[in-house]
Amino acid sequence: GLVVLKRVSDARADGDRVLAVIRGSACNQDGHSSGLTAPNGPSQVAVIREALANAKVQPSEIDYVEAHGTGTSLGDPIEARALAEVFAPNRPAEIPLRIGTVKSNFGHAESAAGIAGLIKTILALSHGRIPPSLHLKKLNPHIDWSGIAIDVPVTQVEWNRERGQRLA
């Protein structure tokens, strides 16, 4: 996959079609965990909060997160808890954070998984529809889904703009 990154002002001056804008980003080291493939929840919370701060966006303004989501009993619960810690407080049940992963559509593409997820998110933003997690049969039983306003769509969801801009 390939995306072209430009300053918005340069893209508009050049007459380019702007499909999405990256308002903020962050990166960190995952820190200590129980193994190479085990994510570190507090590190995930910290990097998400930093990206939101850099973007000058409140967690409640985010409608969708393209997650790593590999379907594992170890990694997915850690990732879900991190997302819930950042996005679930004070989020009304009728406006859940929708999460998905491109891996549910075509598997783990190794080094291409990140760019595929970014492209999927850009397409969702530009088309105003959140795609379903196609092969989801049941929610991960290792995640406590009760009491958190997080939803994994299994059908296409119209992404309205009643609350302002679409943000992911």
Side-chain angles (χ1 to χ4, degrees):
L2 173 77
V3 296
V4 175
L5 300 177
K6 280 184 162 180
R7 287 184 184 91
V8 174
S9 57
D10 292 344
R12 289 187 176 136
D14 293 343
D16 296 333
R17 190 169 133 214
V18 177
L19 297 177
V21 175
I22 299 173
R23 292 175 53 170
S25 65
C27 67
N28 68 358
Q29 200 275 341
D30 205 31
H32 179 75
S33 66
S34 60
L36 182 61
T37 60
N40 180 303
S43 291
Q44 289 186 353
V45 168
V47 77
I48 293 167
R49 287 187 172 144
E50 184 179 352
L52 291 168
N54 289 339
K56 297 176 177 55
V57 172
Q58 295 300 311
S60 61
E61 295 177 273
I62 301 295
D63 297 313
Y64 176 75
V65 169
E66 176 68 16
H68 183 66
T70 56
T72 65
S73 60
L74 174 64
D76 284 0
I78 294 170
E79 184 174 27
R81 280 192 295 273
L83 292 171
E85 185 173 332
V86 174
F87 294 104
N90 304 314
R91 182 176 288 270
E94 65 274 8
I95 308 174
L97 174 71
R98 295 207 160 82
I99 61 173
T101 176
V102 75
K103 293 171 195 75
S104 75
N105 297 50
F106 60 78
H108 198 313
E110 299 298 328
S111 61
I115 196 67
L118 177 63
I119 291 169
K120 175 187 165 191
T121 304
I122 291 168
L123 291 169
L125 286 163
S126 64
H127 290 290
R129 292 185 293 277
I130 297 171
S133 292
L134 292 179
H135 302 290
L136 178 68
K137 302 292 186 236
K138 68 176 188 165
L139 292 173
N140 188 319
H142 301 287
I143 298 171
D144 180 10
W145 296 98
S146 63
I148 59 172
I150 293 180
D151 178 52
V152 181
V154 293
T155 60
Q156 181 173 272
V157 175
E158 293 299 318
W159 195 346
N160 65 45
R161 290 187 167 179
E162 290 175 9
R163 298 185 312 137
Q165 295 180 327
R166 292 184 197 109
L167 297 174

